[in-house]
Amino acid sequence: MIFNWPQTPHQKQIRYLQELISKKTFAHAYLFYGSRGNQKERVAELFMASILCVNQNEVPCGQCSDCLQIKNNTHPGVVRIQAEKGKKYIGITQVFAMRKKLSLHSFLNSYKVAIIEGASDLTLEAYNAMLKLVEEPPQNTLIILVASAVHTIPLTIISRCEKIRFGPLIENDLREEENGIEHLAQEFFSGSSEQRFALAEHVSCESQSRIDAFLLHLLSLLRACCFEKIGFAHGSGRGNSRAALLSQAPLGKILLLIEKVYQLRRDAENNSNVRLHLENISLIINELELQ
Ligand SMILES: [Zn+2]
């Protein structure tokens, strides 16, 4: 383990966590969420190490006995769980074992930190056990749930966590670019269903004008696809950037998507739930993937 905060574009989130460390005011449970591959697991690790490090700085020293124990995975105050090898879900026995470890008396009353990686994939029983834990956490205990998707986590758990969002990297990489929104629109069609849901959430938090620009790009991609299907070349040289998925989709589905995006554009002006609409559109695209 490297005892430096990762150089991710999520410096705002890191600064916020460092502030908590310097003030020593923590919530009982945190939910770090966002798309895969954005280093939120490492941020959780550094957060945990900074809390437990004897020197109590914003950056863990990497030298003290606590840091060394963390490094060697032998720290008694650290509990980490993730799905066991070959299994997709975290099971109830793992959560029970974690609860037991957290309830042991801690040395010098110091903090105990639990990190649950893959918190979007627990069995139902495991979620119920987890709920008990976040409802009544043992004293001086901090629970960090790390999840790439939140829609599978029961709301009763989510509502008891302080939520820290790690937006898709694409957001940060492209934000400064003029064509950022267009890339997001392409990503919406070419990415995985998980990425689409992350984008739906991300876009819905944008300003009205950026939401509209995003929807216009979606429409332009869909329209170009329609023209192609009925035998007109449209937007020369742009075909490569369009998702193969759309090219293979039946015309009827493309028209349905166009209708849905139009509807969303109209409703978005009336402050309707943009995220929900985009998620519904995502579901139609997911169906195309299955065909
Ligand atoms: Zn240390």
Side-chain angles (χ1 to χ4, degrees):
M1 175 179 168
I2 303 160
F3 286 88
N4 272 324
W5 291 89
Q7 292 297 314
T8 80
H10 301 107
Q11 294 305 309
K12 206 173 96 188
Q13 289 86 334
I14 291 178
R15 273 197 304 277
Y16 173 70
L17 294 173
Q18 289 176 331
E19 242 171 64
L20 296 181
I21 294 157
S22 60
K23 286 187 200 153
K24 293 187 182 49
T25 47
F26 305 111
H28 288 305
Y30 291 89
L31 172 61
F32 287 16
Y33 71 104
S35 52
R36 271 183 223 285
N38 60 13
Q39 305 214 53
K40 55 191 180 306
E41 291 81 4
R42 271 210 62 210
V43 174
E45 227 173 29
L46 261 288
F47 186 42
M48 169 268 285
S50 308
I51 292 167
L52 297 173
C53 172
V54 165
N55 292 304
Q56 307 262 308
N57 280 325
E58 288 170 5
V59 181
C61 72
Q63 314 277 325
C64 71
S65 63
D66 285 275
C67 283
L68 292 177
Q69 282 179 316
I70 290 169
K71 201 173 178 177
N72 298 325
N73 291 324
T74 54
H75 197 292
V78 178
V79 189
R80 304 181 67 152
I81 57 169
Q82 57 183 340
E84 285 164 351
K85 267 212 170 80
K87 288 193 179 161
K88 208 178 158 202
Y89 296 99
I90 292 173
I92 189 167
T93 47
Q94 288 178 276
V95 179
F96 277 156
M98 181 180 83
R99 260 166 59 176
K100 198 173 162 195
K101 257 185 156 177
L102 289 175
S103 61
L104 295 175
H105 219 62
S106 64
F107 185 59
L108 288 178
N109 230 11
S110 61
Y111 273 99
K112 288 194 171 183
V113 183
I115 299 181
I116 296 98
E117 279 182 41
S120 38
D121 295 312
L122 269 71
T123 62
L124 192 61
E125 296 96 336
Y127 272 130
N128 286 336
M130 185 67 75
L131 175 62
K132 285 221 177 78
L133 194 61
V134 292
E135 272 176 341
E136 292 166 38
Q139 227 192 346
N140 288 341
T141 298
L142 229 103
I143 298 159
I144 308 172
L145 298 158
V146 186
S148 51
V150 290
H151 59 274
T152 53
I153 306 176
L155 283 175
T156 42
I157 292 181
I158 294 179
S159 64
R160 285 173 174 82
C161 296
E162 182 175 339
K163 292 162 273 297
I164 300 190
R165 178 172 172 271
F166 294 76
L169 281 190
I170 188 165
E171 160 200 345
N172 303 286
D173 295 343
L174 301 179
R175 187 175 280 276
E176 303 303 320
E177 291 179 27
E178 266 180 41
N179 294 330
I181 290 272
E182 187 178 355
H183 283 275
L184 288 183
Q186 282 169 5
E187 181 83 4
F188 194 71
F189 289 123
S190 60
S192 65
S193 68
E194 199 174 57
Q195 282 169 318
R196 263 192 291 282
F197 271 79
L199 275 173
E201 194 201 351
H202 163 58
V203 170
S204 65
C205 299
E206 290 282 350
S207 65
Q208 187 87 41
S209 61
R210 278 177 72 90
I211 291 175
D212 200 50
F214 175 78
L215 296 177
L216 282 174
H217 280 301
L218 288 188
L219 280 174
S220 135
L221 288 169
L222 287 165
R223 268 202 223 107
C225 198
C226 259
F227 278 119
E228 249 173 35
K229 280 192 186 298
I230 54 175
F232 288 99
H234 182 79
S236 58
R238 301 282 293 282
N240 289 344
S241 61
R242 250 189 323 276
L245 178 71
L246 286 184
S247 314
Q248 287 156 13
L251 184 60
K253 285 281 182 189
I254 303 285
L255 292 173
L256 174 67
L257 284 168
I258 289 179
E259 190 191 317
K260 294 280 178 197
V261 179
Y262 263 120
Q263 197 185 341
L264 170 52
R265 268 198 85 202
R266 276 198 308 271
D267 293 353
E269 287 169 10
N270 304 322
N271 293 325
S272 87
N273 191 334
V274 172
R275 182 177 166 186
L276 188 69
H277 275 285
L278 281 175
E279 284 177 354
N280 284 335
I281 293 171
S282 300
L283 291 176
I284 300 175
I285 302 171
N286 289 356
E287 279 170 23
L288 290 177
E289 280 179 331
L290 296 175
Q291 280 173 358

